[in-house]
mmCIF file of all heavy atoms in Angstrom:
data_model
loop_
_atom_site.group_PDB
_atom_site.id
_atom_site.type_symbol
_atom_site.label_atom_id
_atom_site.label_comp_id
_atom_site.label_asym_id
_atom_site.label_seq_id
_atom_site.Cartn_x
_atom_site.Cartn_y
_atom_site.Cartn_z
ATOM 1 N N THR P 38 97.083 98.693 93.996
ATOM 2 C CA THR P 38 98.109 97.893 94.667
ATOM 3 C C THR P 38 99.426 98.659 94.768
ATOM 4 O O THR P 38 100.084 98.629 95.813
ATOM 5 C CB THR P 38 98.293 96.557 93.931
ATOM 6 O OG1 THR P 38 97.010 95.932 93.807
ATOM 7 C CG2 THR P 38 99.223 95.632 94.679
ATOM 8 N N VAL P 54 104.811 94.704 91.240
ATOM 9 C CA VAL P 54 103.528 95.057 90.638
ATOM 10 C C VAL P 54 103.697 95.961 89.413
ATOM 11 O O VAL P 54 102.908 95.886 88.470
ATOM 12 C CB VAL P 54 102.602 95.698 91.693
ATOM 13 C CG1 VAL P 54 101.301 96.171 91.076
ATOM 14 C CG2 VAL P 54 102.305 94.697 92.809
ATOM 15 N N ALA P 76 114.435 106.575 98.487
ATOM 16 C CA ALA P 76 113.522 107.541 99.107
ATOM 17 C C ALA P 76 112.708 106.865 100.214
ATOM 18 O O ALA P 76 112.571 107.415 101.324
ATOM 19 C CB ALA P 76 112.596 108.155 98.058
ATOM 20 N N PHE P 80 112.436 107.477 104.525
ATOM 21 C CA PHE P 80 111.242 107.522 105.378
ATOM 22 C C PHE P 80 111.389 106.553 106.546
ATOM 23 O O PHE P 80 111.111 106.892 107.697
ATOM 24 C CB PHE P 80 109.979 107.168 104.585
ATOM 25 C CG PHE P 80 109.444 108.283 103.738
ATOM 26 C CD1 PHE P 80 109.539 108.223 102.359
ATOM 27 C CD2 PHE P 80 108.828 109.389 104.316
ATOM 28 C CE1 PHE P 80 109.028 109.238 101.566
ATOM 29 C CE2 PHE P 80 108.319 110.416 103.521
ATOM 30 C CZ PHE P 80 108.419 110.344 102.149
ATOM 31 N N PHE P 107 99.749 112.330 94.075
ATOM 32 C CA PHE P 107 99.577 112.092 95.500
ATOM 33 C C PHE P 107 100.778 112.635 96.262
ATOM 34 O O PHE P 107 101.910 112.561 95.796
ATOM 35 C CB PHE P 107 99.459 110.594 95.782
ATOM 36 C CG PHE P 107 98.307 109.960 95.063
ATOM 37 C CD1 PHE P 107 98.483 109.419 93.798
ATOM 38 C CD2 PHE P 107 97.048 109.922 95.629
ATOM 39 C CE1 PHE P 107 97.431 108.842 93.119
ATOM 40 C CE2 PHE P 107 95.980 109.348 94.957
ATOM 41 C CZ PHE P 107 96.169 108.808 93.693
ATOM 42 N N ASN P 148 106.961 118.410 106.326
ATOM 43 C CA ASN P 148 108.277 118.887 106.738
ATOM 44 C C ASN P 148 109.227 118.894 105.550
ATOM 45 O O ASN P 148 109.088 119.688 104.655
ATOM 46 C CB ASN P 148 108.814 118.044 107.891
ATOM 47 C CG ASN P 148 108.141 118.394 109.208
ATOM 48 O OD1 ASN P 148 107.686 119.511 109.415
ATOM 49 N ND2 ASN P 148 108.066 117.429 110.102
#
Side-chain angles (χ1 to χ4, degrees):
T38 307
V54 176
F80 281 109
F107 301 91
N148 284 332

